[in-house]
Amino acid sequence: MITPTIPTMTQSLREIDAAHHIHPFTHNADMHQTGAHIIASAKGSYVTDDHGVRLLDGLAGLWCVNVGYGRREIIDAVTQQMEKLCFYPSFFSSTTEPTILLADKLHRLGLPRLTHTLFSNSGSEANDTAIKVILHYWNLKGHPRRTKFISRTYSYHGVTMGATSLTGLVSCTKPFGLPAAGFVRLPGPYHYMSNSELTPEEFGKKCLEETETIIRCEGPDSIAALFAEPIQGAGGVIIPPAGYLKGLRELARKYGILYVSDEVITAFGRVGAYYASDKWDLDPDLVILAKGITSGYIPLAATRVSSEIAETLNSGGYYANGHTYSGHPVACAAALANIALIEKENLVDYVANDIGVYFEKKFLEFNNHPAVGEARCHKMMGAMELLRHGEKVTDPMIGLGPKAAAIVRKHGAIVRGLANLIAISPCLNITHAEVDELFASVKAGLDEFASI
Ligand SMILES: Cc1ncc(COP(=O)(O)O)c(C=O)c1O
């Protein structure tokens, strides 16, 4: 008989982790030389690790804890829902009250043309749901040849087979022999990385011209949908140049291609709006939501679709798609409580007109730091491109980002190291004093990084 070991020492927790756990997006073997960083508790914008070290979380978990950690309102809502009804599926003509109320609430928050919601458990699943809905839609509309999907370099759409195939980061696709056939890349508007002589706006126009050429070469009638994040997050917080996103949306419209706005990071206040697509007037045909929908308290994701798509699907008979936990009542209760908090605390307005403005201003001051080649930021999402001994580097394998992030952590804050940049995107209810503290840690970390 195997007796389960109950770890009492964190050292043994690390050993057990090394023995039994493969971490996502991690060099597992390297990590286990020193052991995983175990986070033990969190409150507000701070997390505390198992050594008792308190760190200011500059990444809101993983761009998701919008309302901060440990909010009693969400904990109570989840507890009450678990006591009342811990689970019931939305399969086979059933559903639950929180699921219905959340679908309605998402519609009331914006993008009024998107009347219906399909629920899933992660951003990846929500993108794969969109892919299947779109294929089904075009079949029902009598256009079965529209099967290709277009998306951009440096985009990140998740890890399921479809979402990986949409993702424009070679590190995510190559090990798995993806993208699958029919997933086509467009140029992403990453001006800094392009080394282009053009201004960002001119570069954006050039990307659009190349996009149109690719659409024509592929054959517009073979393309089902275009997927795009309003700000490309995991690809490096790529903030689109003025006019670019509208141009991209117009191209999709011109060729009858459905436009999918992947707002897994940008929705629920991070850019000072419930939906970035509303803020930038993109009028998407579908929108993808996850992360901030529950502030990460419980996994939940949503694919919102236009009334036209919904009516077509509903006219198509039996809809054979969905997950056991699609519209899980506890997750939906968490989302409703989370959105109620965002509303009660005016967090969208706080980001749009107060803390987001302050954060952006402090962020952009790093354009004067000797270790920074470019600091770019939009409201609560920013990236700093790092220099090596004052020189720009473009090979992502050099990995200045993770090195700098490790140093910043020694100075009291968590930021994300990605390729040769650090990304920062904290909880939305962070205070001015906490923003000051965050950037003091970043500055101390980058000063040290520049000196080695
Ligand atoms: C824009 C975007 N889409 C999709 C995903 C995938 O979401 P998940 O990790 O919940 O599957 C992410 C995750 O970071 C994301 O940033």
Side-chain angles (χ1 to χ4, degrees), residues 152 189 204 208 226 228-230 240-254 259 276-284:
R152 301 169 301 162
L208 290 175
L226 186 160
E229 304 154 81
Y244 167 84
L245 271 184
K246 279 294 261 181
L248 192 67
R249 207 290 167 243
E250 282 317 313
L251 277 180
R253 191 172 277 126
K254 178 173 172 186
Y259 187 91
S277 304
D278 258 340
K279 174 172 170 165
W280 287 318
D281 202 14
L282 297 178
D283 187 31

PDB file of all heavy atoms in Angstrom, residues 152 189 204 208 226 228-230 240-254 259 276-284:
ATOM      1  N   ARG A 152      -1.563  36.970 -36.617  1.00  0.00           N
ATOM      2  CA  ARG A 152      -0.331  37.736 -36.834  1.00  0.00           C
ATOM      3  C   ARG A 152       0.900  37.159 -36.135  1.00  0.00           C
ATOM      4  O   ARG A 152       0.768  36.468 -35.118  1.00  0.00           O
ATOM      5  CB  ARG A 152      -0.569  39.172 -36.358  1.00  0.00           C
ATOM      6  CG  ARG A 152      -1.712  39.816 -37.118  1.00  0.00           C
ATOM      7  CD  ARG A 152      -2.144  41.108 -36.510  1.00  0.00           C
ATOM      8  NE  ARG A 152      -2.579  40.944 -35.141  1.00  0.00           N
ATOM      9  CZ  ARG A 152      -2.687  41.943 -34.274  1.00  0.00           C
ATOM     10  NH1 ARG A 152      -2.407  43.175 -34.649  1.00  0.00           N
ATOM     11  NH2 ARG A 152      -3.076  41.711 -33.043  1.00  0.00           N
ATOM     12  N   PRO A 189       2.446  44.173 -36.055  1.00  0.00           N
ATOM     13  CA  PRO A 189       3.009  45.535 -36.121  1.00  0.00           C
ATOM     14  C   PRO A 189       4.048  45.803 -35.020  1.00  0.00           C
ATOM     15  O   PRO A 189       3.892  46.745 -34.243  1.00  0.00           O
ATOM     16  CB  PRO A 189       1.762  46.406 -35.965  1.00  0.00           C
ATOM     17  CG  PRO A 189       0.879  45.611 -35.066  1.00  0.00           C
ATOM     18  CD  PRO A 189       1.139  44.160 -35.382  1.00  0.00           C
ATOM     19  N   GLY A 204       2.923  50.493 -39.562  1.00  0.00           N
ATOM     20  CA  GLY A 204       1.582  49.901 -39.447  1.00  0.00           C
ATOM     21  C   GLY A 204       0.919  49.809 -40.816  1.00  0.00           C
ATOM     22  O   GLY A 204       0.305  48.794 -41.165  1.00  0.00           O
ATOM     23  N   LEU A 208      -0.322  46.522 -43.027  1.00  0.00           N
ATOM     24  CA  LEU A 208      -1.664  46.369 -43.608  1.00  0.00           C
ATOM     25  C   LEU A 208      -1.580  46.050 -45.102  1.00  0.00           C
ATOM     26  O   LEU A 208      -2.343  45.223 -45.611  1.00  0.00           O
ATOM     27  CB  LEU A 208      -2.493  47.644 -43.393  1.00  0.00           C
ATOM     28  CG  LEU A 208      -2.909  47.915 -41.948  1.00  0.00           C
ATOM     29  CD1 LEU A 208      -3.625  49.253 -41.835  1.00  0.00           C
ATOM     30  CD2 LEU A 208      -3.789  46.794 -41.400  1.00  0.00           C
ATOM     31  N   LEU A 226     -10.254  36.262 -39.177  1.00  0.00           N
ATOM     32  CA  LEU A 226      -8.999  36.880 -38.744  1.00  0.00           C
ATOM     33  C   LEU A 226      -9.069  37.021 -37.227  1.00  0.00           C
ATOM     34  O   LEU A 226     -10.051  37.544 -36.693  1.00  0.00           O
ATOM     35  CB  LEU A 226      -8.863  38.249 -39.414  1.00  0.00           C
ATOM     36  CG  LEU A 226      -7.583  39.056 -39.245  1.00  0.00           C
ATOM     37  CD1 LEU A 226      -7.487  40.104 -40.351  1.00  0.00           C
ATOM     38  CD2 LEU A 226      -7.460  39.741 -37.905  1.00  0.00           C
ATOM     39  N   ALA A 228      -7.233  38.656 -33.828  1.00  0.00           N
ATOM     40  CA  ALA A 228      -6.242  39.662 -33.431  1.00  0.00           C
ATOM     41  C   ALA A 228      -6.492  40.131 -32.005  1.00  0.00           C
ATOM     42  O   ALA A 228      -7.635  40.394 -31.618  1.00  0.00           O
ATOM     43  CB  ALA A 228      -6.297  40.855 -34.383  1.00  0.00           C
ATOM     44  N   GLU A 229      -5.403  40.228 -31.220  1.00  0.00           N
ATOM     45  CA  GLU A 229      -5.490  40.863 -29.904  1.00  0.00           C
ATOM     46  C   GLU A 229      -5.399  42.377 -30.127  1.00  0.00           C
ATOM     47  O   GLU A 229      -4.539  42.829 -30.901  1.00  0.00           O
ATOM     48  CB  GLU A 229      -4.296  40.469 -29.029  1.00  0.00           C
ATOM     49  CG  GLU A 229      -4.071  38.989 -28.820  1.00  0.00           C
ATOM     50  CD  GLU A 229      -2.592  38.707 -28.525  1.00  0.00           C
ATOM     51  OE1 GLU A 229      -2.167  38.893 -27.366  1.00  0.00           O
ATOM     52  OE2 GLU A 229      -1.844  38.302 -29.443  1.00  0.00           O
ATOM     53  N   PRO A 230      -6.190  43.181 -29.430  1.00  0.00           N
ATOM     54  CA  PRO A 230      -6.064  44.644 -29.588  1.00  0.00           C
ATOM     55  C   PRO A 230      -4.659  45.130 -29.224  1.00  0.00           C
ATOM     56  O   PRO A 230      -4.080  45.943 -29.933  1.00  0.00           O
ATOM     57  CB  PRO A 230      -7.119  45.195 -28.632  1.00  0.00           C
ATOM     58  CG  PRO A 230      -8.132  44.103 -28.517  1.00  0.00           C
ATOM     59  CD  PRO A 230      -7.351  42.814 -28.598  1.00  0.00           C
ATOM     60  N   PRO A 240      -0.538  48.741 -30.929  1.00  0.00           N
ATOM     61  CA  PRO A 240      -0.658  49.005 -32.361  1.00  0.00           C
ATOM     62  C   PRO A 240      -0.467  50.481 -32.695  1.00  0.00           C
ATOM     63  O   PRO A 240      -0.945  51.339 -31.959  1.00  0.00           O
ATOM     64  CB  PRO A 240      -2.092  48.561 -32.685  1.00  0.00           C
ATOM     65  CG  PRO A 240      -2.804  48.575 -31.386  1.00  0.00           C
ATOM     66  CD  PRO A 240      -1.791  48.309 -30.317  1.00  0.00           C
ATOM     67  N   PRO A 241       0.231  50.777 -33.793  1.00  0.00           N
ATOM     68  CA  PRO A 241       0.362  52.170 -34.202  1.00  0.00           C
ATOM     69  C   PRO A 241      -0.998  52.757 -34.571  1.00  0.00           C
ATOM     70  O   PRO A 241      -1.919  52.018 -34.933  1.00  0.00           O
ATOM     71  CB  PRO A 241       1.253  52.118 -35.451  1.00  0.00           C
ATOM     72  CG  PRO A 241       1.612  50.712 -35.685  1.00  0.00           C
ATOM     73  CD  PRO A 241       0.895  49.847 -34.701  1.00  0.00           C
ATOM     74  N   ALA A 242      -1.099  54.080 -34.475  1.00  0.00           N
ATOM     75  CA  ALA A 242      -2.364  54.768 -34.773  1.00  0.00           C
ATOM     76  C   ALA A 242      -2.881  54.338 -36.147  1.00  0.00           C
ATOM     77  O   ALA A 242      -2.120  54.284 -37.113  1.00  0.00           O
ATOM     78  CB  ALA A 242      -2.135  56.274 -34.732  1.00  0.00           C
ATOM     79  N   GLY A 243      -4.146  54.020 -36.210  1.00  0.00           N
ATOM     80  CA  GLY A 243      -4.793  53.694 -37.491  1.00  0.00           C
ATOM     81  C   GLY A 243      -4.685  52.240 -37.893  1.00  0.00           C
ATOM     82  O   GLY A 243      -5.450  51.764 -38.742  1.00  0.00           O
ATOM     83  N   TYR A 244      -3.757  51.515 -37.280  1.00  0.00           N
ATOM     84  CA  TYR A 244      -3.510  50.136 -37.732  1.00  0.00           C
ATOM     85  C   TYR A 244      -4.704  49.209 -37.472  1.00  0.00           C
ATOM     86  O   TYR A 244      -5.161  48.491 -38.359  1.00  0.00           O
ATOM     87  CB  TYR A 244      -2.234  49.595 -37.058  1.00  0.00           C
ATOM     88  CG  TYR A 244      -2.095  48.103 -37.221  1.00  0.00           C
ATOM     89  CD1 TYR A 244      -1.543  47.546 -38.365  1.00  0.00           C
ATOM     90  CD2 TYR A 244      -2.574  47.232 -36.234  1.00  0.00           C
ATOM     91  CE1 TYR A 244      -1.457  46.174 -38.522  1.00  0.00           C
ATOM     92  CE2 TYR A 244      -2.493  45.864 -36.381  1.00  0.00           C
ATOM     93  CZ  TYR A 244      -1.937  45.346 -37.532  1.00  0.00           C
ATOM     94  OH  TYR A 244      -1.867  43.987 -37.690  1.00  0.00           O
ATOM     95  N   LEU A 245      -5.216  49.228 -36.222  1.00  0.00           N
ATOM     96  CA  LEU A 245      -6.285  48.265 -35.884  1.00  0.00           C
ATOM     97  C   LEU A 245      -7.543  48.510 -36.703  1.00  0.00           C
ATOM     98  O   LEU A 245      -8.196  47.574 -37.171  1.00  0.00           O
ATOM     99  CB  LEU A 245      -6.635  48.362 -34.397  1.00  0.00           C
ATOM    100  CG  LEU A 245      -5.862  47.485 -33.426  1.00  0.00           C
ATOM    101  CD1 LEU A 245      -6.409  47.659 -32.025  1.00  0.00           C
ATOM    102  CD2 LEU A 245      -5.856  46.012 -33.815  1.00  0.00           C
ATOM    103  N   LYS A 246      -7.873  49.787 -36.874  1.00  0.00           N
ATOM    104  CA  LYS A 246      -9.053  50.119 -37.705  1.00  0.00           C
ATOM    105  C   LYS A 246      -8.847  49.600 -39.122  1.00  0.00           C
ATOM    106  O   LYS A 246      -9.754  49.072 -39.762  1.00  0.00           O
ATOM    107  CB  LYS A 246      -9.273  51.638 -37.749  1.00  0.00           C
ATOM    108  CG  LYS A 246      -9.986  52.204 -36.562  1.00  0.00           C
ATOM    109  CD  LYS A 246     -11.413  51.718 -36.463  1.00  0.00           C
ATOM    110  CE  LYS A 246     -12.422  52.715 -37.006  1.00  0.00           C
ATOM    111  NZ  LYS A 246     -13.795  52.217 -36.878  1.00  0.00           N
ATOM    112  N   GLY A 247      -7.614  49.783 -39.606  1.00  0.00           N
ATOM    113  CA  GLY A 247      -7.296  49.313 -40.961  1.00  0.00           C
ATOM    114  C   GLY A 247      -7.421  47.795 -41.070  1.00  0.00           C
ATOM    115  O   GLY A 247      -7.925  47.271 -42.071  1.00  0.00           O
ATOM    116  N   LEU A 248      -6.976  47.102 -40.024  1.00  0.00           N
ATOM    117  CA  LEU A 248      -7.056  45.639 -40.029  1.00  0.00           C
ATOM    118  C   LEU A 248      -8.518  45.204 -40.052  1.00  0.00           C
ATOM    119  O   LEU A 248      -8.917  44.306 -40.807  1.00  0.00           O
ATOM    120  CB  LEU A 248      -6.360  45.101 -38.770  1.00  0.00           C
ATOM    121  CG  LEU A 248      -6.089  43.607 -38.736  1.00  0.00           C
ATOM    122  CD1 LEU A 248      -5.051  43.218 -39.792  1.00  0.00           C
ATOM    123  CD2 LEU A 248      -5.588  43.183 -37.342  1.00  0.00           C
ATOM    124  N   ARG A 249      -9.314  45.874 -39.208  1.00  0.00           N
ATOM    125  CA  ARG A 249     -10.737  45.550 -39.150  1.00  0.00           C
ATOM    126  C   ARG A 249     -11.401  45.801 -40.526  1.00  0.00           C
ATOM    127  O   ARG A 249     -12.219  45.003 -41.004  1.00  0.00           O
ATOM    128  CB  ARG A 249     -11.393  46.423 -38.062  1.00  0.00           C
ATOM    129  CG  ARG A 249     -12.629  45.832 -37.430  1.00  0.00           C
ATOM    130  CD  ARG A 249     -13.805  45.786 -38.343  1.00  0.00           C
ATOM    131  NE  ARG A 249     -14.893  44.956 -37.865  1.00  0.00           N
ATOM    132  CZ  ARG A 249     -15.317  43.870 -38.501  1.00  0.00           C
ATOM    133  NH1 ARG A 249     -14.696  43.399 -39.573  1.00  0.00           N
ATOM    134  NH2 ARG A 249     -16.375  43.219 -38.084  1.00  0.00           N
ATOM    135  N   GLU A 250     -11.019  46.919 -41.137  1.00  0.00           N
ATOM    136  CA  GLU A 250     -11.620  47.261 -42.444  1.00  0.00           C
ATOM    137  C   GLU A 250     -11.265  46.216 -43.502  1.00  0.00           C
ATOM    138  O   GLU A 250     -12.090  45.877 -44.350  1.00  0.00           O
ATOM    139  CB  GLU A 250     -11.159  48.654 -42.903  1.00  0.00           C
ATOM    140  CG  GLU A 250     -11.875  49.789 -42.215  1.00  0.00           C
ATOM    141  CD  GLU A 250     -13.374  49.566 -42.071  1.00  0.00           C
ATOM    142  OE1 GLU A 250     -14.033  49.168 -43.053  1.00  0.00           O
ATOM    143  OE2 GLU A 250     -13.890  49.748 -40.956  1.00  0.00           O
ATOM    144  N   LEU A 251     -10.028  45.725 -43.449  1.00  0.00           N
ATOM    145  CA  LEU A 251      -9.620  44.705 -44.428  1.00  0.00           C
ATOM    146  C   LEU A 251     -10.483  43.452 -44.288  1.00  0.00           C
ATOM    147  O   LEU A 251     -10.923  42.877 -45.281  1.00  0.00           O
ATOM    148  CB  LEU A 251      -8.155  44.313 -44.220  1.00  0.00           C
ATOM    149  CG  LEU A 251      -7.112  45.225 -44.854  1.00  0.00           C
ATOM    150  CD1 LEU A 251      -5.717  44.698 -44.545  1.00  0.00           C
ATOM    151  CD2 LEU A 251      -7.323  45.313 -46.360  1.00  0.00           C
ATOM    152  N   ALA A 252     -10.720  43.037 -43.035  1.00  0.00           N
ATOM    153  CA  ALA A 252     -11.560  41.852 -42.814  1.00  0.00           C
ATOM    154  C   ALA A 252     -12.952  42.103 -43.395  1.00  0.00           C
ATOM    155  O   ALA A 252     -13.514  41.254 -44.106  1.00  0.00           O
ATOM    156  CB  ALA A 252     -11.644  41.530 -41.325  1.00  0.00           C
ATOM    157  N   ARG A 253     -13.478  43.290 -43.129  1.00  0.00           N
ATOM    158  CA  ARG A 253     -14.833  43.616 -43.619  1.00  0.00           C
ATOM    159  C   ARG A 253     -14.860  43.618 -45.144  1.00  0.00           C
ATOM    160  O   ARG A 253     -15.776  43.067 -45.768  1.00  0.00           O
ATOM    161  CB  ARG A 253     -15.248  44.978 -43.056  1.00  0.00           C
ATOM    162  CG  ARG A 253     -16.709  45.289 -43.277  1.00  0.00           C
ATOM    163  CD  ARG A 253     -17.134  46.555 -42.551  1.00  0.00           C
ATOM    164  NE  ARG A 253     -17.453  46.342 -41.156  1.00  0.00           N
ATOM    165  CZ  ARG A 253     -16.909  47.010 -40.147  1.00  0.00           C
ATOM    166  NH1 ARG A 253     -15.995  47.930 -40.365  1.00  0.00           N
ATOM    167  NH2 ARG A 253     -17.274  46.755 -38.913  1.00  0.00           N
ATOM    168  N   LYS A 254     -13.832  44.227 -45.733  1.00  0.00           N
ATOM    169  CA  LYS A 254     -13.765  44.350 -47.201  1.00  0.00           C
ATOM    170  C   LYS A 254     -13.845  42.981 -47.872  1.00  0.00           C
ATOM    171  O   LYS A 254     -14.451  42.834 -48.934  1.00  0.00           O
ATOM    172  CB  LYS A 254     -12.445  45.047 -47.560  1.00  0.00           C
ATOM    173  CG  LYS A 254     -12.170  45.219 -49.038  1.00  0.00           C
ATOM    174  CD  LYS A 254     -10.927  46.080 -49.235  1.00  0.00           C
ATOM    175  CE  LYS A 254     -10.504  46.116 -50.683  1.00  0.00           C
ATOM    176  NZ  LYS A 254      -9.236  46.824 -50.862  1.00  0.00           N
ATOM    177  N   TYR A 259     -14.162  38.936 -38.097  1.00  0.00           N
ATOM    178  CA  TYR A 259     -13.109  39.549 -37.287  1.00  0.00           C
ATOM    179  C   TYR A 259     -13.290  39.130 -35.823  1.00  0.00           C
ATOM    180  O   TYR A 259     -14.330  39.398 -35.218  1.00  0.00           O
ATOM    181  CB  TYR A 259     -13.173  41.073 -37.408  1.00  0.00           C
ATOM    182  CG  TYR A 259     -12.018  41.788 -36.743  1.00  0.00           C
ATOM    183  CD1 TYR A 259     -10.868  42.093 -37.455  1.00  0.00           C
ATOM    184  CD2 TYR A 259     -12.071  42.146 -35.399  1.00  0.00           C
ATOM    185  CE1 TYR A 259      -9.797  42.745 -36.850  1.00  0.00           C
ATOM    186  CE2 TYR A 259     -11.006  42.794 -34.781  1.00  0.00           C
ATOM    187  CZ  TYR A 259      -9.868  43.094 -35.521  1.00  0.00           C
ATOM    188  OH  TYR A 259      -8.812  43.733 -34.926  1.00  0.00           O
ATOM    189  N   ALA A 276     -11.658  46.538 -25.002  1.00  0.00           N
ATOM    190  CA  ALA A 276     -10.794  47.393 -25.837  1.00  0.00           C
ATOM    191  C   ALA A 276     -11.419  47.578 -27.217  1.00  0.00           C
ATOM    192  O   ALA A 276     -11.256  48.617 -27.853  1.00  0.00           O
ATOM    193  CB  ALA A 276      -9.406  46.763 -25.968  1.00  0.00           C
ATOM    194  N   SER A 277     -12.149  46.568 -27.674  1.00  0.00           N
ATOM    195  CA  SER A 277     -12.761  46.643 -29.008  1.00  0.00           C
ATOM    196  C   SER A 277     -13.812  47.739 -29.077  1.00  0.00           C
ATOM    197  O   SER A 277     -14.052  48.305 -30.146  1.00  0.00           O
ATOM    198  CB  SER A 277     -13.435  45.315 -29.364  1.00  0.00           C
ATOM    199  OG  SER A 277     -12.505  44.280 -29.280  1.00  0.00           O
ATOM    200  N   ASP A 278     -14.458  48.030 -27.936  1.00  0.00           N
ATOM    201  CA  ASP A 278     -15.397  49.162 -27.891  1.00  0.00           C
ATOM    202  C   ASP A 278     -14.608  50.467 -27.925  1.00  0.00           C
ATOM    203  O   ASP A 278     -14.922  51.382 -28.674  1.00  0.00           O
ATOM    204  CB  ASP A 278     -16.216  49.118 -26.597  1.00  0.00           C
ATOM    205  CG  ASP A 278     -17.628  48.573 -26.824  1.00  0.00           C
ATOM    206  OD1 ASP A 278     -18.090  48.587 -27.983  1.00  0.00           O
ATOM    207  OD2 ASP A 278     -18.252  48.129 -25.849  1.00  0.00           O
ATOM    208  N   LYS A 279     -13.570  50.505 -27.093  1.00  0.00           N
ATOM    209  CA  LYS A 279     -12.753  51.726 -26.986  1.00  0.00           C
ATOM    210  C   LYS A 279     -12.189  52.117 -28.354  1.00  0.00           C
ATOM    211  O   LYS A 279     -12.131  53.293 -28.690  1.00  0.00           O
ATOM    212  CB  LYS A 279     -11.622  51.449 -25.992  1.00  0.00           C
ATOM    213  CG  LYS A 279     -10.591  52.526 -25.858  1.00  0.00           C
ATOM    214  CD  LYS A 279      -9.647  52.206 -24.709  1.00  0.00           C
ATOM    215  CE  LYS A 279      -8.462  53.156 -24.718  1.00  0.00           C
ATOM    216  NZ  LYS A 279      -7.706  53.143 -23.486  1.00  0.00           N
ATOM    217  N   TRP A 280     -11.773  51.118 -29.135  1.00  0.00           N
ATOM    218  CA  TRP A 280     -11.154  51.404 -30.427  1.00  0.00           C
ATOM    219  C   TRP A 280     -12.117  51.155 -31.588  1.00  0.00           C
ATOM    220  O   TRP A 280     -11.687  51.062 -32.740  1.00  0.00           O
ATOM    221  CB  TRP A 280      -9.855  50.609 -30.585  1.00  0.00           C
ATOM    222  CG  TRP A 280      -8.774  51.191 -29.711  1.00  0.00           C
ATOM    223  CD1 TRP A 280      -8.518  52.524 -29.535  1.00  0.00           C
ATOM    224  CD2 TRP A 280      -7.839  50.488 -28.892  1.00  0.00           C
ATOM    225  NE1 TRP A 280      -7.474  52.687 -28.653  1.00  0.00           N
ATOM    226  CE2 TRP A 280      -7.029  51.465 -28.247  1.00  0.00           C
ATOM    227  CE3 TRP A 280      -7.596  49.148 -28.628  1.00  0.00           C
ATOM    228  CZ2 TRP A 280      -5.999  51.127 -27.368  1.00  0.00           C
ATOM    229  CZ3 TRP A 280      -6.568  48.809 -27.759  1.00  0.00           C
ATOM    230  CH2 TRP A 280      -5.786  49.797 -27.140  1.00  0.00           C
ATOM    231  N   ASP A 281     -13.408  51.006 -31.244  1.00  0.00           N
ATOM    232  CA  ASP A 281     -14.462  50.979 -32.255  1.00  0.00           C
ATOM    233  C   ASP A 281     -14.214  49.910 -33.334  1.00  0.00           C
ATOM    234  O   ASP A 281     -14.324  50.166 -34.527  1.00  0.00           O
ATOM    235  CB  ASP A 281     -14.512  52.385 -32.903  1.00  0.00           C
ATOM    236  CG  ASP A 281     -15.839  52.647 -33.547  1.00  0.00           C
ATOM    237  OD1 ASP A 281     -16.779  51.892 -33.267  1.00  0.00           O
ATOM    238  OD2 ASP A 281     -15.912  53.596 -34.362  1.00  0.00           O
ATOM    239  N   LEU A 282     -13.896  48.700 -32.872  1.00  0.00           N
ATOM    240  CA  LEU A 282     -13.539  47.643 -33.830  1.00  0.00           C
ATOM    241  C   LEU A 282     -14.738  46.841 -34.308  1.00  0.00           C
ATOM    242  O   LEU A 282     -14.651  46.134 -35.324  1.00  0.00           O
ATOM    243  CB  LEU A 282     -12.511  46.681 -33.190  1.00  0.00           C
ATOM    244  CG  LEU A 282     -11.179  47.334 -32.835  1.00  0.00           C
ATOM    245  CD1 LEU A 282     -10.251  46.332 -32.167  1.00  0.00           C
ATOM    246  CD2 LEU A 282     -10.524  47.904 -34.083  1.00  0.00           C
ATOM    247  N   ASP A 283     -15.826  46.903 -33.575  1.00  0.00           N
ATOM    248  CA  ASP A 283     -17.044  46.195 -33.971  1.00  0.00           C
ATOM    249  C   ASP A 283     -16.741  44.757 -34.429  1.00  0.00           C
ATOM    250  O   ASP A 283     -17.080  44.357 -35.556  1.00  0.00           O
ATOM    251  CB  ASP A 283     -17.744  46.981 -35.102  1.00  0.00           C
ATOM    252  CG  ASP A 283     -19.094  46.382 -35.446  1.00  0.00           C
ATOM    253  OD1 ASP A 283     -19.736  45.828 -34.543  1.00  0.00           O
ATOM    254  OD2 ASP A 283     -19.490  46.443 -36.628  1.00  0.00           O
ATOM    255  N   PRO A 284     -16.138  43.947 -33.542  1.00  0.00           N
ATOM    256  CA  PRO A 284     -15.791  42.581 -33.963  1.00  0.00           C
ATOM    257  C   PRO A 284     -17.038  41.713 -34.143  1.00  0.00           C
ATOM    258  O   PRO A 284     -18.115  42.041 -33.624  1.00  0.00           O
ATOM    259  CB  PRO A 284     -14.955  42.057 -32.790  1.00  0.00           C
ATOM    260  CG  PRO A 284     -15.427  42.840 -31.610  1.00  0.00           C
ATOM    261  CD  PRO A 284     -15.815  44.197 -32.129  1.00  0.00           C
TER     262      PRO A 284
END
